[in-house]
Amino acid sequence: MNIVWTVLGIIGVYIYGVFLMGLGRKISARVQLRYGPPVYQNYIDILKLWTKKTNISHGIMFDLGPVFLLTGSIGTLLLIPIAATEQLMYFGFSGDIIVIMYLMVFGSLGFALAASQGANPFGIMGISRALTLLAAYELPFILGIVILMMDANSASLSNIISHQAGGYMNWYIFKQPLAAIPAFIALLGMMGKQPFDIPIAPQEIATGPMAEFGGKYLGMMMSSHAIFMTAKYILFVNLFLGGAGNPINMIFKVFLIWLFPLFVGLVYPRFKTSQAVRFFWGVPSLIGLIGLIIHWLR
Amino acid sequence: MIEKKKRNIFQIIDDWASARSLWLLMYCTGCGAIELPPTMTSRYDMERFGIAPAGTPRQADILLITGYLSIKTLKRVIRAYEQMQSPKYVIGLGSCTINGGMYWDSYNTIKMLDLYLPVDIWIAGCMPRPESVIGGLNKLSDIIKAGEANGWKKYNENLKWYRANQKKVIKKWDLPEFNY
């Protein structure tokens, strides 16, 4: 009955991801001394988008764009173990971290084609910014992961989880801080939250790649964003916080990590594209490089 | 007046969802632009009713026209309205959109917005305060929930009449016939 557990896992991640998006809106409202929308507001938003009567299309690639996004996010999720129980380990194999890192880029690249067919100048500007940002944060992220792979002597996610077993002092966030710092700074860029929301800057380029998408297309993109966001947090829990024995534990740990980009995003204003690239290729990459050299010499 | 039809359960859920999640496209032509930032931010906070600003016409549900429309801007508003995805609603904010307001004898503004676009709800005042803006949005939400906000259907059915009115004021017509 592996397929049942897989489908249940995807649905559960989807529901939790949309809940986190709504909770984020509520928390940021409270920080700004507002009352804020109800926490279930994002479910209503997605339901409304799915019930729109007309949906404009600009061609086949335009239709496929949200599908690419959803495929990329579900594909990423399937390779990441949600909890270390027999049923929820999914399709792990040796070397799956490298495949995960490829799949994480798949959605953005497919969506770049779709936004280009929309022929909206804001969309094209947003896509060029998104791909530049992608190239920027991949470097510290990969440096962090390479240190973990050297430490565990394996490129398999389940091996990395089992290397962190036995007490929280064995978690890589404490055992390898020089890998955790660049990776967690890269997480800020991945989430597209405030200091690095360069691709969708609503005040500058009118939500960038999403400018031409409305109705059911936008509903599908919001759904895939919820899944993809949660999948990335689950990946980080597995890499740095020692994974989880059961789903409840995983929900709690994802919530803890999720607070970090949220609060950083509430405090800092947006970078320019060049500033973001300079930031990611500066201090975080340097820390990662130093960690790599120290680990090499040891 | 479109008579009230019986709705099935799916249409009721549709209407409930669209009433609870309204994304605004703000077309700020006049002094209405000043009233909207306090409506959005901490003091009056319209987000607690699920009302949020949208980035582009494609994503928006409501076209909020705040103030007088000159003939030149009317062209842009028509274009933005037809790019929105239905169900879509129009709100006329301020007396300028109702009867011309203080621009009633101006040579290049329109006086009644209802002749050119199907307005679902008016918010009177010069300018309406944020309280009345939120009150109007909530009223619109009630109308949508009852399934009676059918301006977009009216526009599609009577497109010829609206087009004739629009072409009467826009002398140099260079829009496509219908750009949805």
Side-chain angles (χ1 to χ4, degrees):
Chain A
M1 297 312 281
N2 213 351
I3 185 131
V4 176
W5 281 105
T6 311
V7 172
L8 275 182
I10 292 169
I11 292 172
V13 164
Y14 174 50
I15 290 172
Y16 187 51
V18 180
F19 171 75
L20 282 184
M21 284 160 78
L23 191 63
R25 281 171 78 176
K26 187 84 180 173
I27 291 176
S28 47
R30 285 300 167 88
V31 171
Q32 294 158 2
L33 298 181
R34 290 188 288 128
Y35 185 75
V39 283
Y40 52 85
Q41 182 62 45
N42 275 50
Y43 296 107
I44 303 177
D45 284 352
I46 289 176
L47 182 62
K48 177 207 72 179
L49 288 172
W50 279 105
T51 57
K52 279 272 186 185
K53 297 288 189 300
T54 55
N55 301 283
I56 188 83
S57 172
H58 290 282
I60 291 173
M61 271 326 283
F62 190 85
D63 295 342
L64 285 178
V67 180
F68 280 138
L69 275 181
L70 202 62
T71 316
S73 40
I74 291 180
T76 315
L77 178 66
L78 287 182
L79 290 176
I80 302 171
I82 289 183
T85 51
E86 183 97 346
Q87 293 89 358
L88 290 170
M89 285 297 275
Y90 295 165
F91 309 112
F93 53 89
S94 59
D96 53 359
I97 291 184
I98 294 160
V99 180
I100 288 170
M101 287 195 296
Y102 271 105
L103 277 176
M104 279 164 72
V105 186
F106 175 80
S108 323
L109 288 179
F111 192 62
L113 294 171
S116 312
Q117 198 175 32
N120 192 320
F122 287 131
I124 292 156
M125 268 156 80
I127 277 296
S128 71
R129 286 174 174 212
L131 296 181
T132 314
L133 189 67
L134 189 80
Y137 69 68
E138 284 284 278
L139 184 63
F141 179 60
I142 288 175
L143 279 172
I145 288 198
V146 164
I147 297 173
L148 298 195
M149 293 202 293
M150 281 166 69
D151 191 279
N153 206 5
S154 157
S156 156
L157 201 51
S158 51
N159 273 5
I160 285 187
I161 296 169
S162 57
H163 258 261
Q164 306 175 64
Y168 61 88
M169 280 318 284
N170 276 353
W171 294 354
Y172 275 132
I173 193 170
F174 300 120
K175 216 159 72 173
Q176 292 285 1
L178 290 184
I181 292 168
F184 271 86
I185 292 174
L187 178 71
L188 293 178
M190 275 181 211
M191 283 305 132
K193 279 263 166 61
Q194 205 26 280
F196 301 107
D197 67 340
I198 305 162
I200 45 160
Q203 295 87 355
E204 282 173 51
I205 53 169
T207 65
M210 286 127 69
E212 200 62 25
F213 291 83
K216 292 188 171 72
Y217 294 91
L218 196 63
M220 205 175 200
M221 283 160 60
M222 274 180 80
S223 311
S224 75
H225 174 71
I227 296 177
F228 197 32
M229 178 189 82
T230 322
K232 281 186 264 194
Y233 286 123
I234 293 174
L235 177 67
F236 266 74
V237 169
N238 282 329
L239 286 174
F240 291 103
L241 263 66
N246 52 29
I248 307 291
N249 202 348
M250 178 55 84
I251 284 173
F252 180 66
K253 281 180 179 173
V254 165
F255 179 76
L256 280 187
I257 297 191
W258 168 80
L259 289 174
F260 169 61
L262 179 73
F263 284 125
V264 171
L266 283 171
V267 177
Y268 290 101
R270 187 183 307 130
F271 277 129
K272 288 198 289 186
T273 318
S274 57
Q275 288 171 330
V277 173
R278 204 168 294 155
F279 174 80
F280 277 122
W281 288 356
V283 176
S285 299
L286 213 61
I287 294 173
L289 214 55
I290 291 169
L292 198 65
I293 291 166
I294 288 175
H295 203 274
W296 190 276
L297 294 176
R298 220 188 300 159
Chain B
M1 188 75 194
I2 296 168
E3 42 189 287
K4 203 173 172 185
K5 283 178 198 143
K6 204 133 171 58
R7 296 176 297 162
N8 61 26
I9 181 77
F10 294 109
Q11 282 162 333
I12 291 173
I13 293 173
D14 283 13
D15 288 336
W16 178 81
S18 2
R20 289 297 300 276
S21 157
L22 299 170
W23 291 0
L24 287 176
L25 180 70
M26 285 164 274
Y27 199 88
C28 298
T29 51
C31 29
I34 307 297
E35 299 296 329
L36 288 172
T39 319
M40 277 185 279
T41 48
S42 314
R43 180 92 190 255
Y44 294 104
D45 186 26
M46 68 182 180
E47 208 185 358
R48 66 202 148 116
F49 302 114
I51 306 162
T56 59
R58 297 284 189 210
Q59 304 166 359
D61 305 310
I62 297 178
L63 181 58
L64 186 70
I65 295 169
T66 65
Y68 66 88
L69 283 181
S70 72
I71 287 155
K72 215 171 176 181
T73 49
L74 179 67
K75 224 159 143 183
R76 275 75 180 169
V77 167
I78 292 166
R79 198 147 191 163
Y81 179 72
E82 287 176 2
Q83 281 177 4
M84 282 161 66
Q85 308 295 306
S86 47
K88 51 192 174 184
Y89 317 100
V90 180
I91 297 181
L93 186 68
S95 28
C96 299
T97 54
I98 298 173
N99 57 8
M102 59 190 277
Y103 299 95
W104 72 274
D105 59 350
S106 168
Y107 62 94
N108 66 346
T109 61
I110 57 154
K111 287 180 189 59
M112 272 183 66
L113 180 60
D114 213 6
L115 292 176
Y116 310 101
L117 289 177
V119 178
D120 286 283
I121 199 162
W122 308 95
I123 302 171
C126 184
M127 274 313 286
R129 298 264 308 144
E131 294 98 322
S132 45
V133 175
I134 288 179
L137 285 164
N138 280 346
K139 180 79 185 165
L140 177 67
S141 171
D142 291 341
I143 295 173
I144 296 169
K145 210 179 279 176
E148 283 161 9
N150 290 320
W152 58 280
K153 280 183 196 159
K154 211 168 84 184
Y155 188 75
N156 286 350
E157 281 161 14
N158 308 317
L159 186 63
K160 241 181 211 155
W161 186 80
Y162 281 110
R163 270 283 180 272
N165 278 342
Q166 288 161 2
K167 282 181 182 170
K168 215 178 281 172
V169 287
I170 302 173
K171 289 287 181 299
K172 205 176 151 222
W173 179 268
D174 53 358
L175 297 180
E177 257 331 294
F178 195 81
N179 52 338
Y180 49 92

